[in-house]
């Protein structure tokens, strides 16, 4: 048995083969399991949906893994992640590592690391970007934690990342991974808002007769060419004037956290903040603010108002 475990540890360090427990097999988690398996690693997955799971419980998942264990948590942020980390704290052993690959707030990472450290269990937080395209293209990874804990997970990071030299970074100490992913998403908000505003202006201009092809022409040779632009063209190919969609956009939390962090650090983020507020505005069928503006314009200037 000792010889077998020494052999296993050597393969871990060389990044050749390892076992991983994966909790949460939804759209992201399920595709991640498949990509890791394609790289030759063993993944034992658990999900509340028995049709997706490899085992019937988290307890069974832990017993099937050889020590030192690595368990990757891919469940919704907040309560579900907290409950899962607390559960693992009771099941795992010193030297094991828990990875939180969900969209947790970086402040939660510190709490989770402290909880697990009391049991001698390591913790790595990992921001994951790639969405539904990650299975084929790879996932951009930003992770935080102690170097020794990161090393135990490195073969999985290498399996998940895109081909080439980029797409994966040890961003710093615990919390750094999710903080970096949060800022990434804030930038994403602002970039999407800029594309959306430009598209609307082009649609409004009678001189421009083919907005979709203008967007397509930008895909080569311009400073704004990007994957987001490619996806915008793809969306316009599906629905040229986006007539099938309602102008309503949710926010997943990272945008708000980015703005809050900016306030805490006294860093001005006008573009990201405006893009977040634009999403709030999208959810209003009849803007209460504009009612007040209309009323004030009528009061001081006699400007016309419209009644319902």
């Amino acid at each position: 048995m000792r010889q077998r475990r020494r052999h296993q540890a050597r393969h871990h360090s060389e990044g050749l083969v390892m076992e991983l427990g994966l909790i949460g097999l939804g759209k992201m988690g399920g595709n991640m399991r498949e990509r890791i398996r394609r790289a030759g690693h063993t993944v034992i997955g658990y999900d509340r949906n028995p049709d997706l799971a490899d085992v019937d419980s988290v307890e069974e998942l832990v017993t099937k893994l050889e020590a030192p264990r690595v368990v990757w948590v891919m469940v919704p942020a907040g309560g579900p992640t907290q409950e899962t980390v607390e559960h693992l704290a009771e099941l795992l052993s010193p030297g094991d590592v828990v990875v939180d690959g969900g969209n947790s707030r970086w402040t939660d990472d510190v709490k989770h690391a402290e909880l697990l450290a009391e049991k001698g269990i390591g913790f790595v937080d990992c921001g994951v970007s790639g969405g539904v395209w990650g299975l084929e293209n790879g996932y951009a990874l930003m992770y935080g934690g102690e170097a020794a804990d990161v090393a135990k997970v490195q073969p999985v990071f290498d399996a998940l990342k895109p081909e080439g030299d980029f797409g994966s970074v040890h961003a710093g100490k615990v919390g750094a991974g999710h903080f970096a992913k949060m800022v990434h998403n804030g930038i994403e908000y602002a970039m999407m808002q800029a594309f959306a505003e430009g598209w609307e202006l082009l649609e409004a201009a009678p001189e421009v007769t083919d907005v979709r092809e203008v967007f397509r022409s930008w895909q080569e040779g311009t400073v704004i060419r990007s994957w987001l632009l490619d996806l915008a063209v793809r969306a316009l190919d599906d629905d040229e004037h986006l007539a099938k969609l309602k102008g309503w956009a949710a926010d997943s939390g990272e945008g708000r956290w980015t703005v809050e962090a900016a306030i805490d650090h006294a860093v001005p983020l006008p573009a990201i903040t405006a893009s977040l507020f634009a999403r709030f505005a999208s959810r209003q069928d009849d803007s209460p603010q504009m009612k007040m503006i209309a009323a004030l314009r009528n009061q001081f200037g006699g400007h016309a108002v419209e009644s319902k």
Side-chain angles (χ1 to χ4, degrees), residues 35-50:
R35 185 172 175 87
I36 296 167
R37 284 177 172 172
R38 289 180 184 179
H41 304 295
T42 297
V43 183
I44 301 172
Y46 170 74
D47 193 274
R48 290 185 176 181
N49 181 349

Side-chain angles (χ1 to χ4, degrees), residues 79-145:
T81 295
Q82 180 69 34
E83 293 171 9
T84 304
V85 170
E86 290 176 351
H87 193 186
L88 289 172
E90 300 302 319
L91 297 174
L92 296 177
S93 304
D96 294 344
V97 175
V98 173
V99 183
D100 178 7
N103 284 326
S104 295
R105 190 183 175 105
W106 81 97
T107 50
D108 290 342
D109 295 326
V110 177
K111 299 174 185 176
H112 296 157
E114 291 174 349
L115 171 66
L116 292 168
E118 294 175 359
K119 305 293 183 72
I121 303 166
F123 178 81
V124 175
D125 63 288
C126 183
V128 181
S129 181
V132 297
W133 300 87
L135 175 58
E136 298 301 330
N137 297 341
Y139 299 88
L141 307 172
M142 298 141 271
Y143 37 91

Side-chain angles (χ1 to χ4, degrees), residues 31-308:
N31 281 344
M32 289 167 64
R33 173 176 61 176
E34 177 60 24
R35 185 172 175 87
I36 296 167
R37 284 177 172 172
R38 289 180 184 179
H41 304 295
T42 297
V43 183
I44 301 172
Y46 170 74
D47 193 274
R48 290 185 176 181
N49 181 349
D51 294 334
L52 303 176
D54 302 314
V55 292
D56 295 327
S57 66
V58 175
E59 289 82 358
E60 184 181 357
L61 180 149
V62 170
T63 61
K64 286 183 175 293
L65 294 171
E66 291 278 354
R69 305 172 186 87
V70 176
V71 180
W72 188 302
V73 178
M74 205 69 189
V75 302
T81 295
Q82 180 69 34
E83 293 171 9
T84 304
V85 170
E86 290 176 351
H87 193 186
L88 289 172
E90 300 302 319
L91 297 174
L92 296 177
S93 304
D96 294 344
V97 175
V98 173
V99 183
D100 178 7
N103 284 326
S104 295
R105 190 183 175 105
W106 81 97
T107 50
D108 290 342
D109 295 326
V110 177
K111 299 174 185 176
H112 296 157
E114 291 174 349
L115 171 66
L116 292 168
E118 294 175 359
K119 305 293 183 72
I121 303 166
F123 178 81
V124 175
D125 63 288
C126 183
V128 181
S129 181
V132 297
W133 300 87
L135 175 58
E136 298 301 330
N137 297 341
Y139 299 88
L141 307 172
M142 298 141 271
Y143 37 91
E146 296 295 329
D149 294 329
V150 169
K152 294 177 182 178
V153 193
Q154 194 64 53
V156 171
F157 291 149
D158 292 341
L160 287 172
K161 69 178 289 294
E163 296 294 329
D165 296 332
F166 307 109
S168 177
V169 61
H170 184 183
K173 58 186 181 181
V174 166
H178 281 142
F179 195 97
K181 176 58 163 49
M182 175 194 74
V183 174
H184 165 280
N185 282 24
I187 294 170
E188 176 187 297
Y189 275 46
M191 290 176 67
M192 287 194 290
Q193 185 65 27
F195 279 124
E197 291 176 7
W199 172 79
E200 183 177 358
L201 180 56
L202 287 168
E203 285 279 338
E207 296 85 356
V208 181
T209 57
D210 198 336
V211 176
R212 177 176 60 185
E213 293 310 309
V214 170
F215 261 61
R216 195 187 311 280
S217 75
W218 292 344
Q219 289 182 281
E220 296 293 342
T222 72
V223 297
I224 64 169
R225 63 188 185 273
S226 65
W227 189 44
L228 277 177
L229 177 60
D230 294 342
L231 294 177
V233 172
R234 182 185 178 94
L236 295 174
D237 281 339
D238 291 340
D239 182 4
E240 182 174 357
H241 302 287
L242 304 184
K244 301 174 185 176
L245 300 179
K246 182 178 180 181
W248 190 102
D251 68 286
S252 58
E254 290 92 344
R256 300 187 189 207
W257 299 341
T258 304
V259 173
E260 291 170 3
I263 293 170
D264 292 340
H265 292 280
V267 174
L269 299 185
I272 291 174
T273 302
S275 67
L276 175 64
F277 287 173
R279 295 198 185 192
F280 296 163
S282 79
R283 301 167 206 169
Q284 296 178 329
D285 292 328
D286 189 14
S287 171
Q289 296 174 24
M290 290 302 110
K291 291 181 182 180
M292 175 57 74
I293 289 173
L296 289 172
R297 292 182 75 245
N298 178 258
Q299 289 294 323
F300 69 67
H303 300 288
V305 295
E306 294 186 11
S307 301
K308 286 186 176 180

